[in-house]
Amino acid sequence: VVMAAGIRPNTALAEAAGVLGKRGIVVSDTMQTVTDPRIYSVGECAAHRGIAYGLVAPLFEQGKVCATHLAEFGIGRYGGSQTSTKLKVTGIDLFSAGNFTGGGA
């Protein structure tokens, strides 16, 4: 049985512009790129502490930090997200949480 889920960020445009990409556009806790603090990245294309989440809940948390910083309303910090996923498959309730690793079949 093979199962695939998630996203794969396309960082080609950012990398062509000189922005560092590793599993996503590499950002700090303020959601600024490590390459240029004038550039921000949030959501599925951002890689924070080596993780590109690919889920909407972390995007909302990242967006709040980014907006607070851009509005100069203090300096928010994003420390990462605890995630879980509920997949919708017809006739099957499936829930996934925690760390996992894949292996060869």
Side-chain angles (χ1 to χ4, degrees):
V1 173
V2 176
M3 182 177 134
I7 54 100
R8 181 182 216 166
N10 182 346
T11 59
L13 179 61
E15 290 171 358
V19 176
L20 180 63
K22 291 184 180 176
R23 293 188 176 189
I25 298 168
V26 182
V27 295
S28 67
D29 288 355
T30 55
M31 305 315 297
Q32 294 169 283
T33 66
V34 297
T35 309
D36 185 339
R38 299 171 299 171
I39 302 171
Y40 293 77
S41 179
V42 298
E44 295 162 334
C45 64
H48 177 262
R49 298 181 185 178
I51 301 171
Y53 290 95
L55 299 169
V56 72
L59 166 61
F60 294 147
E61 295 170 11
Q62 293 169 358
K64 286 179 186 177
V65 170
C66 183
T68 298
H69 198 260
L70 286 170
E72 298 179 357
F73 196 68
I75 298 177
R77 301 244 180 239
Y78 178 69
S81 295
Q82 294 294 326
T83 60
S84 65
T85 304
K86 183 175 181 180
L87 302 174
K88 297 177 183 175
V89 180
T90 304
I92 302 172
D93 291 330
L94 185 59
F95 179 82
S96 173
N99 294 327
F100 63 91
T101 59

